[in-house]
Amino acid sequence: MDLASFKELSAKVNSSLILQTTLGVAVLSHLYRSWRNRIDVPTYGGILSFSRLLSTVRLAMEGGDIWRTSYAKYPMILVPSPERWAVVVRGKYIDELSRAPDDVLSFTEATHDSLRLRYSLGTTTAEEHEYHIHVVRQNLTKRLPALFPEVYDEVIHAFGEDLQFDGAEWKEVEFLSWIIPVVAKASNRVFVGLPLCRDKEWLSLVIDGAVSCIKTAAIINLFPEFMHPIVGPLISKVQSRKRKAAELARYLIDDRLKLAPEDRPDDYISWLLSAAPPEEQNAEDITQRIISTNFAAIHTSSLNMTHTIYWLLSRPEYLDPLREEIESVTSQMGWTKAAISSMPKLESFMKESMRLSPLAPHTMNRKVVKPFTFSNGVSLPVGATVGIHLYATQVDEDYYPEPLQFKGFRFVEEENGDHREAENVASLKSRNSMYAISRSYLGFSYGRHACPGRFFASMELKTMFAYLIANYDMKWPDSVSNGKDGYRPADIWMGAGLIPDPKGRILIRERSQ
């Protein structure tokens, strides 16, 4: 071997050794970090637990059974999702999570990690002043009775515009894809008003933007953290969406900025302008808050409505008593916020749907930003994620008799079975409302970070559900149900979500009055 060949071979060997050494150091570093940050709780996945992705797939295939089994067997368990492992704990620890300060267990950091908001929605959340949440919690909630006529008018318009019946014909629709624009129009009637709430470009932005946000986050979370600043800007379309949204809504915001605060309309945009710091009182920043509100509102309400309709069509015996209640109440009170709040059977049916078909297996997710130790001695290192069982809590027989059975009037029966004084019965009715939160009902989460828009969402959902029942007949197509009693499309477990079949189809027609 001549000298040149020897040098070439030596360079190849050295390069190979450098590569092997680098990979070895990386693997050892990963193993060391895993050992150092290990959490002393059982881990889901068995032989597949070495891979978060494979464990996530297996978890989705096993569905509700594994969540109920894990809940019954372990006080705490480490479970996978596409973006992270998370410690999920029983409800006995709910107060420990709820009381922990945000600089120890952070809701916003957990949300940021899950949705990668910088790239998916155009905001860092953890770094911003979340004044839009205060506006939803305070201004919007207090104005619900006054806002109800607009929501109701938009529901009527949306259903009528989309269906356009000719006589008593049945129409077949893919329910989830059909109801999403209805929810978007009704919500944006409050957020931006007429005519923008019916603008096709605006609706496309707020509807498709939410889907794009989730897809973008899912792709980014496939890569290690250090690559997010590279991958995020490459796949994100958030900046173009933000510019387009600001163009469409600019005239509404600029018109209000020309007025003194006391002369502005009493509406959502004016509330945002009043709450925003001076540097954010402009079309771009205010529109971003409206988009963020839409992201939280549209798809969660659409999924909950789809779950509810699927339960109704699978349990048609509930239709007549629900319809009788709606017609009785509205004949006396009209279509008002007070009327919608005076339908205990309707309220109970929707709450039972959310109990048995929540939108996620766990909730109250927090990221550990300072070391945290539970009362049982289990310590969570910085960077870990922790949450509370949602689905398994709501099918716990210690809280609900026959928990896996759908009982549409379960909460009405509780009220009727209570013979205490009037004020106690009123308190029970309040607890049984679909927006009430408790240690056993976590559909809107729990504690100070519970969903701030749950009162608006409840009003909107009840309005749409009541209007559908009062004005339309609905059933499964025979080609879907094959004539089976109790047919309901199977819910889909995926990652950290529990969603109704997005391809589920129903038949609908106008009722003959």
Side-chain angles (χ1 to χ4, degrees):
M1 178 184 294
D2 59 24
L3 183 60
S5 298
F6 178 80
K7 287 182 177 179
E8 182 180 352
L9 177 62
S10 177
K12 289 181 179 178
V13 170
N14 287 337
S15 297
S16 177
L17 286 173
I18 291 171
L19 178 60
Q20 292 178 36
T21 302
T22 301
L23 289 175
V25 170
V27 170
L28 290 173
S29 176
H30 172 74
L31 292 173
Y32 172 72
R33 287 196 305 271
S34 298
W35 174 81
R36 186 186 62 186
N37 293 328
R38 69 194 185 282
I39 302 171
D40 190 20
V41 299
T43 300
Y44 170 81
I47 195 172
L48 297 178
S49 62
F50 72 91
S51 168
R52 189 179 69 227
L53 181 59
L54 292 177
S55 296
T56 300
V57 172
R58 179 182 175 185
L59 184 64
M61 293 174 64
E62 292 189 298
D65 290 343
I66 191 61
W67 286 101
R68 295 192 299 272
T69 300
S70 299
Y71 175 87
K73 192 172 181 180
Y74 306 114
M76 301 178 174
I77 185 170
L78 196 63
V79 298
S81 67
E83 68 274 6
R84 64 197 172 194
W85 288 90
V87 178
V88 180
V89 306
R90 284 183 190 158
K92 67 178 290 185
Y93 301 102
I94 194 169
D95 288 329
E96 295 181 46
L97 284 189
S98 182
R99 287 196 298 262
D102 291 334
D103 63 352
V104 176
L105 300 181
S106 174
F107 167 77
T108 51
E109 290 282 356
T111 303
H112 176 78
D113 283 359
S114 176
L115 296 175
R116 300 299 164 189
L117 295 175
R118 181 189 299 274
Y119 310 109
S120 61
L121 204 58
T123 175
T124 59
T125 295
E127 301 169 5
E128 70 176 355
H129 173 50
E130 297 175 325
Y131 57 84
H132 61 290
I133 293 178
H134 175 79
V135 167
V136 170
R137 183 179 287 119
Q138 298 296 325
N139 302 78
L140 179 61
T141 299
K142 291 178 180 178
R143 291 280 291 155
L144 290 182
L147 292 170
F148 177 87
E150 294 189 57
V151 173
Y152 178 60
D153 180 68
E154 199 59 34
V155 166
I156 296 173
H157 175 270
F159 283 141
E161 179 184 57
D162 291 347
L163 291 173
Q164 296 181 349
F165 287 100
D166 182 15
E169 63 175 314
W170 288 96
K171 283 195 173 183
E172 186 170 329
V173 298
E174 193 175 272
F175 189 81
L176 179 58
S177 61
W178 173 65
I179 203 66
I180 287 174
V182 176
V183 174
K185 291 173 185 176
S187 300
N188 280 276
R189 180 67 177 264
V190 172
F191 300 154
V192 297
L194 287 169
L196 191 56
C197 69
R198 298 176 187 175
D199 184 275
K200 291 183 179 180
E201 280 191 283
W202 177 261
L203 291 171
S204 177
L205 279 169
V206 297
I207 293 171
D208 297 341
V211 175
S212 177
C213 173
I214 294 170
K215 288 181 178 178
T216 299
I219 294 171
I220 292 173
N221 281 322
L222 293 174
F223 293 85
E225 187 91 25
F226 74 87
M227 292 189 66
H228 291 179
I230 301 171
V231 177
L234 289 176
I235 67 170
S236 175
K237 298 179 180 179
V238 67
Q239 295 305 323
S240 61
R241 287 202 310 270
K242 286 174 67 175
R243 286 193 297 270
K244 186 61 180 177
E247 289 174 14
L248 292 172
R250 185 179 303 280
Y251 75 97
L252 294 170
I253 297 161
D254 287 349
D255 285 350
R256 284 159 178 77
L257 285 171
K258 294 173 185 176
L259 301 172
E262 62 272 15
D263 296 329
R264 294 171 185 165
D266 186 21
D267 61 17
Y268 189 70
I269 295 176
S270 296
W271 303 334
L272 287 175
L273 286 169
S274 295
E279 65 272 15
E280 290 201 28
Q281 294 181 16
N282 58 72
E284 288 74 18
D285 286 311
I286 295 300
T287 303
Q288 178 59 36
R289 303 301 174 138
I290 297 171
I291 296 296
S292 296
T293 309
N294 269 291
F295 172 75
I298 294 176
H299 287 272
T300 52
S301 291
S302 299
L303 292 170
N304 276 320
M305 178 58 66
T306 304
H307 274 308
T308 302
I309 290 295
Y310 286 3
W311 279 117
L312 179 64
L313 298 194
S314 71
R315 304 291 190 275
E317 66 272 16
Y318 286 101
L319 181 57
D320 284 342
L322 284 169
R323 189 169 277 162
E324 289 170 6
E325 178 182 70
I326 293 163
E327 292 176 346
S328 174
V329 172
T330 54
S331 67
Q332 298 175 50
M333 305 176 68
W335 285 88
T336 62
K337 169 67 167 62
I340 290 295
S341 301
S342 301
M343 300 177 184
K345 291 179 180 177
L346 182 99
E347 189 107 38
S348 176
F349 191 95
M350 299 197 78
K351 182 167 185 172
E352 179 72 348
S353 173
M354 290 184 66
R355 182 192 70 83
L356 207 49
S357 298
L359 299 185
H362 53 89
T363 187
M364 288 185 68
N365 298 311
R366 305 287 190 266
K367 183 176 181 178
V368 182
V369 291
K370 290 181 183 177
F372 178 82
T373 301
F374 282 104
S375 58
N376 66 349
V378 172
S379 295
L380 303 181
V382 171
T385 300
V386 61
I388 291 280
H389 278 284
L390 168 51
Y391 167 74
T393 296
Q394 295 187 169
V395 293
D396 185 338
E397 62 184 3
D398 288 342
Y399 297 129
Y400 301 99
E402 298 179 293
L404 297 179
Q405 299 297 314
F406 183 90
K407 296 185 177 183
F409 298 155
R410 179 186 297 270
F411 301 99
V412 178
E413 291 165 1
E414 284 188 17
E415 291 180 15
N416 291 341
D418 193 293
H419 302 293
R420 292 172 293 181
E421 296 179 0
E423 59 267 25
N424 291 332
V425 174
S427 175
L428 183 62
K429 287 182 178 179
S430 176
R431 293 201 305 274
N432 283 343
S433 65
M434 66 180 286
Y435 55 73
I437 55 176
S438 70
R439 291 173 178 82
S440 60
Y441 179 73
L442 302 166
F444 289 110
S445 196
Y446 183 81
R448 64 182 178 279
H449 290 296
C451 173
R454 65 188 183 276
F455 304 98
F456 171 70
S458 298
M459 181 187 81
E460 184 180 61
L461 286 169
K462 288 187 288 186
T463 303
M464 288 189 289
F465 190 44
Y467 188 82
L468 278 172
I469 291 173
N471 292 280
Y472 298 97
D473 292 318
M474 295 169 285
K475 65 179 183 179
W476 298 119
D478 289 337
S479 60
V480 169
S481 66
N482 295 318
K484 294 180 182 177
D485 290 337
Y487 168 80
R488 185 180 187 276
D491 293 333
I492 298 173
W493 295 81
M494 49 184 298
L498 170 57
I499 65 171
D501 184 351
K503 299 297 181 181
R505 304 184 70 83
I506 73 165
L507 290 173
I508 184 168
R509 71 177 179 186
E510 281 186 309
R511 286 183 67 201
S512 55
Q513 300 297 328

